[in-house]
Amino acid sequence: MAVLVFSPGYAAPLPGHVFRPDKFRLAFEMLLKDGTVSRGDVAAPAKISKRDLLLAHTPAWTRKCLSGRFTAADSAAAEMKITKVVIRSHFLHAGGTVKAVELSLENGLGINCGGGSHHARADRGAGFCLVNDLALAARNAQKEYGVKKVMIVDLDVHQGDGTASIFRGDRSVFTFSVHQSDIYPEKKERSSLDVELPRGATGAAYLRALRRALPKALDRFKPGLVLYLAGADVCRGDLLGGLRLSPADLRRRDACV
Ligand SMILES: [Zn+2]
């Protein structure tokens, strides 16, 4: 039974960039090597169509993504050079999250070994993110599977500002973000619930804040589906983040969710 979604195409090269897309392949290979998953557990991403993109993005941004004709300003906003290879890779990541949600609705659990493009806005890319896979997969679950209420639990060290802006005013999707207060994005959006932590926060402080907020939010909202962005950049020593979680804290965090 497939539980994990992966594609070798997740790793579109971004030479010299701080964002290392090969991390997805390295994580996948590690899971295979230590026996956490076998080849039989792995599914390919769903194909992303224009209709899918329009679930989360404006017609203008959808057109750009499909034609591959981006301007220098588009690349500047996304903070990376957007090539056709790069956008194709981002389609695969988005298709991976859509597929993982489909697996979870069939079997109770689905994991995308990629995705997490939570800074992508409806009308543009931002912060290395081009297609908001979480928004797209949440709306696809509502449209194709009749899921009424979706909660997005975003525990990346950065706020899920793109996701929050896409679902602003949509009471059928609850956006929950725990993030560091003094890093990108400089201007935060308002999620359904934001929990901010200061630079240098320890694993104990992080877990206390999470355990205080998440169970209450789940009880109150009662989602039919939860999408969990298990960002690893909360770990001590991350290049872009300033929190101090250990690998053991990360395991506790994931177990808590
Ligand atoms: Zn991040």
Side-chain angles (χ1 to χ4, degrees), residues 161-176:
D161 58 335
T163 316
S165 74
I166 289 171
F167 290 115
R168 189 188 305 131
D170 181 344
R171 296 174 69 86
S172 71
V173 178
F174 190 104
T175 53
F176 174 68

Side-chain angles (χ1 to χ4, degrees), residues 227-250:
L227 272 69
Y228 173 34
L229 200 178
D233 50 6
V234 290
C235 273
R236 187 190 301 130
D238 185 82
L239 276 179
L240 301 173
L243 301 187
R244 290 167 48 209
L245 277 73
S246 66
D249 292 326
L250 207 60

Side-chain angles (χ1 to χ4, degrees), residues 19 23 116 118-119 127-129 154-159 183-184 229 231-234 238 240-241:
F19 187 82
K23 68 183 177 179
H118 60 166
H119 300 307
F128 321 152
C129 301
D154 187 332
L155 301 190
D156 190 278
V157 77
H158 303 97
Q159 191 203 29
I183 50 171
Y184 182 94
L229 200 178
D233 50 6
V234 290
D238 185 82
L240 301 173

Side-chain angles (χ1 to χ4, degrees), residues 16-244:
H17 199 279
V18 65
F19 187 82
R20 297 247 326 257
D22 59 335
K23 68 183 177 179
F24 302 109
R25 178 180 53 78
L26 293 170
F28 175 67
E29 284 170 358
M30 203 181 284
L31 292 171
L32 278 181
K33 201 172 153 205
D34 73 9
T36 305
V37 293
S38 63
R39 293 269 171 202
D41 298 323
V42 182
K47 265 214 156 46
I48 291 300
S49 68
K50 180 178 174 186
R51 237 181 33 197
D52 296 324
L53 289 169
L54 286 169
L55 291 173
H57 293 286
T58 60
W61 183 246
T62 296
R63 256 195 314 278
K64 276 190 183 179
C65 289
L66 289 171
S67 68
R69 283 198 286 275
F70 296 96
T71 63
D74 294 329
S75 287
E79 298 180 55
M80 64 177 171
K81 177 139 184 56
I82 315 173
T83 61
K84 287 193 177 173
V85 176
V86 167
I87 187 65
R88 268 202 298 274
S89 165
H90 284 239
F91 285 163
L92 284 173
H93 281 274
T97 303
V98 168
K99 181 69 183 178
V101 165
E102 287 175 358
L103 292 176
S104 79
L105 291 169
E106 285 160 17
N107 313 321
L109 177 70
I111 300 167
N112 184 15
C113 194
S117 290
H118 60 166
H119 300 307
R121 302 293 179 127
D123 62 347
R124 64 183 187 279
F128 321 152
C129 301
L130 303 178
V131 177
N132 196 309
D133 55 304
L134 298 147
L136 211 140
R139 288 232 163 106
N140 187 62
Q142 292 181 315
K143 190 168 142 268
E144 299 296 329
Y145 290 84
V147 175
K148 289 201 168 53
K149 293 199 287 182
V150 182
M151 182 182 277
I152 298 176
V153 176
D154 187 332
L155 301 190
D156 190 278
V157 77
H158 303 97
Q159 191 203 29
D161 58 335
T163 316
S165 74
I166 289 171
F167 290 115
R168 189 188 305 131
D170 181 344
R171 296 174 69 86
S172 71
V173 178
F174 190 104
T175 53
F176 174 68
S177 178
V178 180
H179 51 266
Q180 187 180 328
S181 56
D182 64 342
I183 50 171
Y184 182 94
E186 204 176 312
K187 187 182 165 305
K188 305 283 189 282
E189 288 289 335
R190 187 195 291 253
S191 311
S192 308
L193 181 59
D194 287 298
V195 176
E196 296 210 316
L197 291 163
R199 174 172 296 273
T202 61
Y206 187 100
L207 291 167
R208 243 191 336 267
L210 178 64
R211 287 181 180 132
R212 201 179 300 136
L214 183 58
K216 256 191 257 172
L218 282 166
D219 279 351
R220 214 174 62 211
F221 187 66
K222 296 189 176 30
L225 171 72
V226 174
L227 272 69
Y228 173 34
L229 200 178
D233 50 6
V234 290
C235 273
R236 187 190 301 130
D238 185 82
L239 276 179
L240 301 173
L243 301 187
R244 290 167 48 209

